[in-house]
Amino acid sequence: MLRFALRRLLIMIPIAVIVTFLVYAMVFALPGDPIRALSGQKPLAESVIAAKRAYYHLNDPLFVQYLHFMGNLLKGDLGQTFDGQDIGEQLALRWPVTLQLGLTALAIQLVLGLVSGVYAGWRRDGLVDRVLLGATLGVLAVPGLVAMFFAQSFFAVELGWFPVSGATDGWPGSYLLPATVLGVLGFAGLARVTRTSIAEVASADFVRTARAKGLAPNRILWGHVLRNAMLPVITYIGLDLAGILGGAIITEGIYNLNGIGQFMFRSIAMKEGGVVVTLSTVLLLGYMLVNLVVDLLYGLLDPRVRHV
């Protein structure tokens, strides 16, 4: 198991380098001068612009800028934004908002997706199964942005059940509506994968044998079906986490939550390559960590994959 985990960690290193360089190059290619954009309607003196460009290595080629950035990052120096804010302090201030939103959405998605998927797969072709298939099809057909704006307009503005925007009510009040929208949008795929996996395993020969021996349905479900059906479900959850994080970043912009998403949008607009790559790297590391946990769980459930 240790060798299996080490192999997964070694694979992550080149992936992290390639992804961070691509993100840095894409921000580098954006049009406009970020230093001149800082001054707005009041142009800065050329000497000030030259000094700032030299300080942030903006006159260097792309690859040299990237090496400067990665060198500082490996030393634990996240640097400053172009307007002098400490990036580490900004991350510490904003991470709790994004984590609360993402984890609340994930919890809603897991409860809805797993419970409905397991029940529908176990009671295949029943009423719940048919309703679930129709409901998930409808959810998958609705664009996420439309659902987010509609929920904000109807449930927050018209009905007044939730705050319209901001995080002044704290958790869960300010997060419940955006997290529910994110969770419901994500539950459809999870429910379908779970339902299909349960239905396939439930029709396998060893399950029919267990039924023929007179085992109770609950014992068959919990003791035989779930363990074998969870392999593709766990894989899906790991892959879907990126969707949760991406959705949380967009949702923060719509619901005016002061998290990583707002910081990311502002940094892209200001062409702050270092900040964008730092945020992307943090998100990437979090995503890799979760997928490592998923891989390890996969190896525990099915020892054959440790040798792949």
Side-chain angles (χ1 to χ4, degrees), residues 96-266:
V97 175
T98 301
L99 281 179
Q100 288 179 92
L101 176 62
L103 292 178
T104 306
L106 182 62
I108 293 172
Q109 177 181 338
L110 290 180
V111 171
L112 291 178
L114 291 178
V115 171
S116 61
V118 169
Y119 191 87
W122 188 239
R123 305 286 185 183
R124 189 177 181 180
D125 295 330
L127 177 62
V128 173
D129 186 26
R130 296 177 189 279
V131 171
L132 179 69
L133 289 177
T136 53
L137 187 62
V139 170
L140 290 171
V142 177
L145 282 176
V146 174
M148 289 176 190
F149 280 118
F150 170 78
Q152 185 182 46
S153 174
F154 185 71
F155 294 109
V157 177
E158 294 294 331
L159 300 179
W161 291 355
F162 304 95
V164 176
S165 64
T168 53
D169 288 6
W171 188 90
S174 298
Y175 297 85
L176 199 53
L177 180 59
T180 300
V181 177
L182 267 179
V184 170
L185 288 173
F187 113 93
L190 178 60
R192 280 185 166 247
V193 169
T194 306
R195 178 254 179 202
T196 302
S197 184
I198 290 286
E200 286 180 358
V201 175
S203 61
D205 291 341
F206 72 92
V207 175
R208 284 201 291 267
T209 302
R211 285 177 174 147
K213 289 182 177 178
L215 289 181
N218 284 341
R219 188 174 174 185
I220 297 174
L221 174 63
W222 294 101
H224 297 277
V225 175
L226 280 179
R227 179 185 175 90
N228 292 283
M230 284 298 105
L231 294 178
V233 175
I234 290 174
T235 304
Y236 179 86
I237 292 173
L239 295 174
D240 190 54
L241 185 69
I244 289 281
L245 290 175
I249 287 174
I250 295 173
T251 306
E252 286 173 9
I254 296 174
Y255 289 88
N256 195 28
L257 297 173
N258 193 26
I260 297 296
Q262 278 200 346
F263 197 26
M264 179 77 86
F265 279 124
R266 170 185 169 279

